[in-house]
Amino acid sequence: MKFLLNLFLFLFALFIFEEKTLAFTDYQIKRICKNDKKVSICIKNLQKKRTDMQKGNLIEIPVLPYDGNEN
């Protein structure tokens, strides 16, 4: 009985914590890139990063420092 309980809990945890990626949709990519100077290059770069992330490849995410003095 204990074995069945452990097996059930293991399978339950396996299905609950399956890996999912939350990537941008095409609409979100276009909305982000509409204020950029080179819209087409921005869209291509974000689409490439999205496909790489969905395939499981590493992507580089730029980190901007926080400036708390902005008003």
Side-chain angles (χ1 to χ4, degrees), residues 1-12:
M1 189 69 171
K2 188 174 181 180
F3 174 74
L4 289 176
L5 179 63
N6 286 339
L7 180 64
F8 173 74
L9 290 175
F10 175 74
L11 292 175
F12 182 71

Side-chain angles (χ1 to χ4, degrees), residues 11-65:
L11 292 175
F12 182 71
L14 188 65
F15 287 115
I16 294 294
F17 297 115
E18 72 181 60
E19 285 193 39
K20 295 181 182 178
T21 59
L22 300 174
F24 286 133
T25 62
D26 287 333
Y27 175 75
Q28 290 171 328
I29 289 174
K30 289 177 184 175
R31 192 180 66 200
I32 290 169
C33 291
K34 76 178 181 181
N35 295 329
D36 205 15
K37 288 183 181 180
K38 299 181 181 180
V39 176
S40 61
I41 293 174
C42 177
I43 291 173
K44 286 180 187 178
N45 287 339
L46 286 178
Q47 286 176 342
K48 183 180 182 315
K49 287 182 182 182
R50 178 180 64 187
T51 56
D52 286 345
M53 187 174 72
Q54 288 175 338
K55 290 179 183 177
N57 299 334
L58 296 176
I59 61 171
E60 187 175 322
I61 301 172
V63 177
L64 301 174

